[in-house]
Amino acid sequence: MIYDIAIIGAGPAGLSAAIYGQRAGLNTITFEANVHGGQIINTPEVENYPALGKVTGVEYAMNLYEQATGFGATIEYKGVTEVNLKDEIKTLICNDGTEYQAKSVIIATGVTRRKLDIPGEDKFLGAGVSYCATCDGLFFKDKIAVVVGGGNTALEDAVYLATVCEKVYLVHRRDRFRGDRAEVEKVLKNPKIEIVYDTIPLSIEGEGKVERLVVKNVKTEKTTIIPTSAVFVAVGLIPQNDMFTGQIDMVDGYIDAGESCKTNIEGVFVAGDTRNKTLRQLVTATSDGAIAATAAAAYVTK
Ligand code: NAP
C-alpha cells in the first residue's frame, strides 16, 4: 500500500498534521518510536496556548491523540531508522525491518534534551540525575533538588519541583534568564527556589546515588558544593535529524524550511521543533503541523 502522507513523530506537530491530513480525506500513517505527545508530556502545565486555559502536558497529549485517532489517524509505534526521500514514492524503513511507502512525508521528529557532559551525569542517571521533572520529581518529595538551566524548561521545572521538594536550587550560567518574563517572575517570587547565578556545574557526586553537585562561579572562579538528592538537567534541545543528513538541507542540525514547511525536496515537509525557526512552542508546533499537512495534501492531489 502506498500512503498519501507518512508522518514521522507523534508529538503536537505530527498529530496536528495527522488531523489535517485525515480531514483532507487522505490516508495518513504516523510513526512514533516512544509514546505519543512528544516533549509536551514533560511539561507540568500548559498555560500559554490561546484559549485553552490550564491543562497538564499529559492531558494535552491525550486530547490530541483522541482527536487524531478520532479522525481515523493510524499510529505505528515503531521508530523510523532509514528514509529514501529523493524518489517520487518515498520509502521509510522501521527498526523492526518493515518498509513503508508514501507519496509525501512530514518530518515531525522533534528534539531531545541536551546533556551537560560532566562527570557523574551518566553514572547517576536514574539515581538522582533526570531530564524530566514531571516524570521523576515525586521521587524527591521533601528533599533538596537542583535544576540546571536558564530557559523556559528550567524555570518551569524549578516551579514544579518547588511544589514537591523541600528546596530547589536553580543553577544558571549567566545572570539573566533566557526564558519568558512570566516564568522568571514565578521563580523570583517562589520562596522555595534559590537562584544560583553565573554558575556552571562541574561534577555530580555521591555514593550510589546523587548526594552533591560541585559548581563553579564563572565570575569569581570559586568552587562550591551544593548538597542535593537530585539534579534535573534542562540545558536545551538537540534536533533529532541524524537520519536525514545528506538528504535534506539543514541549518545547525535543524531542517531548513520557511513558514511554508516545505523542505528542499519535493513532497517532503517539516513541522514542529525540528524545523529551523525562531519560536519553539506548542502553538507553533501545531500550526506547523496544519501547514505541512495542507501543503502535503496539495502536493499529493495536484
Ligand atoms: P533553551 O531555551 O535553549 O535554554 C537552555 C538553557 O540552558 C539556557 O539558559 C542556556 O544558557 C543553558 N545552557 C545551555 N547549555 C548549557 C550548559 N552546557 N551548561 C549550563 N547551562 C547551559 O532550552 P529549553 O529551556 O529546553 O527550551 C527550549 C525551547 O522550548 C525554547 O524555545 C523554549 O521557549 C521552549 N519552551 C517553551 C515553554 C513554554 O512556552 N511554556 C516551555 C518549555 C520550553 P544561556 O541562556 O546562557 O544560553
Side-chain angles (χ1 to χ4, degrees):
M1 164 172 196
I2 300 175
Y3 289 92
D4 291 318
I5 310 177
I7 300 162
I8 311 177
L15 288 181
S16 298
I19 291 169
Y20 273 72
Q22 289 297 129
R23 292 194 76 240
L26 303 178
N27 65 345
T28 72
I29 183 158
T30 304
F31 297 93
E32 173 55 58
N34 298 303
V35 292
H36 53 261
Q39 289 287 314
I40 202 67
I41 62 170
N42 301 330
T43 301
E45 199 169 66
V46 179
E47 62 166 28
N48 59 354
Y49 196 101
L52 196 63
K54 286 187 184 183
V55 293
T56 68
V58 171
E59 281 167 349
Y60 179 84
M62 287 314 297
N63 286 344
L64 190 57
Y65 169 84
E66 298 291 342
Q67 194 176 1
T69 53
F71 282 117
T74 304
I75 305 176
E76 287 284 352
Y77 289 92
K78 42 176 101 169
V80 176
T81 51
E82 217 180 308
V83 287
N84 183 347
L85 303 174
K86 302 267 182 208
D87 299 335
E88 195 176 344
I89 298 300
K90 323 292 180 195
T91 306
L92 290 76
I93 300 169
C94 293
N95 48 10
D96 62 355
T98 49
E99 197 173 303
Y100 293 80
Q101 290 190 313
K103 294 175 192 164
S104 69
V105 170
I106 296 175
I107 298 167
T109 43
V111 289
T112 53
R113 292 274 189 102
R114 180 181 289 130
K115 290 172 63 176
L116 282 169
D117 284 329
I118 58 170
E121 185 177 20
D122 289 342
K123 182 178 166 190
F124 294 113
L125 183 63
V129 171
S130 171
Y131 299 85
C132 178
T134 47
C135 317
D136 299 329
L138 274 177
F139 293 123
F140 307 99
K141 191 165 165 35
D142 300 328
K143 298 195 168 148
I144 295 174
V146 173
V147 176
V148 183
N152 279 326
T153 305
L155 296 165
E156 287 185 1
D157 284 359
V159 171
Y160 168 71
L161 289 168
T163 65
V164 174
C165 301
E166 181 197 330
K167 180 178 175 106
V168 178
Y169 290 96
L170 178 55
V171 173
H172 181 37
R173 64 183 178 184
R174 290 189 291 139
D175 61 1
R176 287 193 61 178
F177 287 109
R178 180 176 291 275
D180 297 345
R181 190 71 222 158
E183 299 302 330
V184 174
E185 263 155 28
K186 282 188 213 164
V187 164
L188 292 176
K189 70 179 184 209
N190 193 316
K192 288 172 90 179
I193 302 174
E194 181 174 333
I195 303 168
V196 188
Y197 290 113
D198 298 316
T199 296
I200 54 165
L202 294 181
S203 63
I204 302 166
E205 299 179 355
E207 299 303 319
K209 58 182 175 29
V210 171
E211 289 173 342
R212 56 196 170 272
L213 177 70
V214 183
V215 296
K216 184 174 87 171
N217 184 298
V218 290
K219 287 189 174 155
T220 63
E221 299 272 310
K222 197 178 158 208
T223 299
T224 49
I225 289 172
I226 302 176
T228 183
S229 302
V231 176
F232 287 89
V233 181
V235 294
L237 307 169
I238 297 176
Q240 303 202 89
N241 289 329
D242 286 355
M243 78 176 125
F244 310 112
T245 307
Q247 294 198 48
I248 298 189
D249 289 349
M250 297 194 201
V251 179
D252 297 331
Y254 290 92
I255 293 177
D256 193 20
E259 296 302 316
S260 70
C261 296
K262 290 181 183 167
T263 71
N264 62 308
I265 302 177
E266 281 272 290
V268 180
F269 308 85
V270 58
D273 283 354
T274 204
R275 179 167 79 82
N276 182 36
K277 54 158 81 173
T278 52
L279 186 64
R280 287 193 175 81
Q281 304 229 328
L282 189 54
V283 69
T284 61
T286 55
S287 92
D288 273 10
I291 292 167
T294 306
Y299 172 79
V300 166
T301 57
K302 76 177 180 293

